[in-house]
């Protein structure tokens, strides 16, 4: 986990979301570490677990998700993506940043990851890539223009999210992820 805790108030800069704000030349919104019980129940049910977020969201919405890439930065061995996960009607149900270690993938899974259409968790599951998910911390963040545009929100809103790392069974990181949910969780279809 590369998040930084500053001072005694436990404000953090969650990686890789902070990387995108830096690249965009924008200040990072205030992010405060919280305990799971501080998260409202609707968001807590979708955040506090050790599953892939994609799978948890697909189970909640009972439909497949699609990636809407907002920004993508590639190198030979890694990919940083700022994304929305969207449901069939086009509504965003998650805003996130992910650093994927491309050097851990080859063939069709790597091609799909680089295609930026299917969620990372869905690719891992469909290709039976053994892994586990380890949420490192949960947080509250007050939305800014970047987050509001991505999640189609208005005004400064208190949102909740998590910092998660996906690992191989040998504890090698596959990806670091920051996942932020909207303030209102749409009903299941």
């Amino acid at each position: 986990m590369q998040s930084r805790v500053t001072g005694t108030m436990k404000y953090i800069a969650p990686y890789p979301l902070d990387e995108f704000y830096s690249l965009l030349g924008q200040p990072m919104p205030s992010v405060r570490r919280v305990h799971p019980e501080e998260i409202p129940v609707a968001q807590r049910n979708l955040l506090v677990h050790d599953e892939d977020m994609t799978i948890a969201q697909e189970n909640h919405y009972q439909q497949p998700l699609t990636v809407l890439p907002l920004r993508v930065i590639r190198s030979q061995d890694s990919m940083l993506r700022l994304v929305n996960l969207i449901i069939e009607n086009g509504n965003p149900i998650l805003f996130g940043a992910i650093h994927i270690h491309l050097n851990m993938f080859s063939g069709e899974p790597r091609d799909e990851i680089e295609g930026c259409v299917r969620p990372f968790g869905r690719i891992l599951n469909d290709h039976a890539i053994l892994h586990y998910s380890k949420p490192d911390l949960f947080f509250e963040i007050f939305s800014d223009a970047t987050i509001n545009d991505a999640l189609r929100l208005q005004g400064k809103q208190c949102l909740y999210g998590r910092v998660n790392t996906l690992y191989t069974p040998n504890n090698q990181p596959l990806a670091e992820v920051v996942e932020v949910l909207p303030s209102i969780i749409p009903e299941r279809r």
Side-chain angles (χ1 to χ4, degrees):
M1 174 184 67
Q2 297 183 31
S3 297
R4 296 177 289 279
V5 178
T6 58
T8 58
M9 297 187 66
K10 299 196 177 179
Y11 283 92
I12 61 170
Y15 178 83
L17 186 58
D18 63 337
E19 186 77 16
F20 279 102
Y21 274 89
S22 177
L23 291 169
L24 295 170
Q26 297 177 349
M28 180 80 193
S30 293
V31 180
R32 183 180 67 90
R33 185 178 193 150
V34 297
H35 295 284
E37 58 273 6
E38 295 177 70
I39 301 171
V41 173
Q43 286 83 358
R44 185 180 333 145
N45 290 339
L46 288 172
L47 286 172
V48 183
H49 55 78
D50 58 3
E51 298 176 50
D52 295 337
M53 183 60 78
T54 301
I55 306 308
Q57 294 277 2
E58 287 179 344
N59 288 338
H60 177 79
Y61 292 104
Q62 300 176 351
Q63 59 182 285
L65 304 177
T66 302
V67 170
L68 176 62
L70 305 171
R71 300 230 191 260
V72 178
I73 301 167
R74 291 183 173 103
S75 70
Q76 184 174 352
D77 292 335
S78 69
M79 174 185 282
L80 287 167
R81 300 192 312 202
L82 189 65
V83 300
N84 276 354
L85 291 185
I86 57 174
I87 54 178
E88 291 172 346
N89 66 9
N91 286 336
I93 50 89
L94 183 138
F95 170 73
I98 182 168
H99 172 208
I100 302 169
H101 300 271
L102 291 175
N103 59 317
M104 301 295 291
F105 302 94
S106 61
E108 191 175 336
R110 182 171 173 143
D111 292 343
E112 287 187 40
I113 292 165
E114 291 183 308
C116 298
V117 175
R118 299 180 67 222
F120 183 68
R122 172 53 46 214
I123 293 168
L124 293 178
N125 281 277
D126 286 355
H127 289 281
I129 296 171
L130 296 177
H131 67 285
Y132 69 94
S133 182
K134 184 178 181 285
D136 297 309
L137 62 90
F138 301 94
F139 61 86
E140 118 187 320
I141 184 170
F142 285 91
S143 66
D144 64 356
T146 298
I147 295 171
N148 283 350
D149 287 347
L151 291 175
R152 299 182 189 159
L153 303 173
Q154 294 183 352
K156 189 175 186 178
Q157 297 194 28
C158 180
L159 307 176
Y160 293 89
R162 72 179 189 172
V163 175
N164 186 30
T165 304
L166 290 93
Y167 293 96
T168 68
N170 296 329
N171 300 319
Q172 295 179 320
L174 296 171
E176 294 86 18
V177 191
V178 174
E179 301 154 327
V180 179
L181 296 178
S183 52
I184 297 174
I185 304 297
E187 296 294 320
R188 295 177 188 221
R189 96 176 163 162

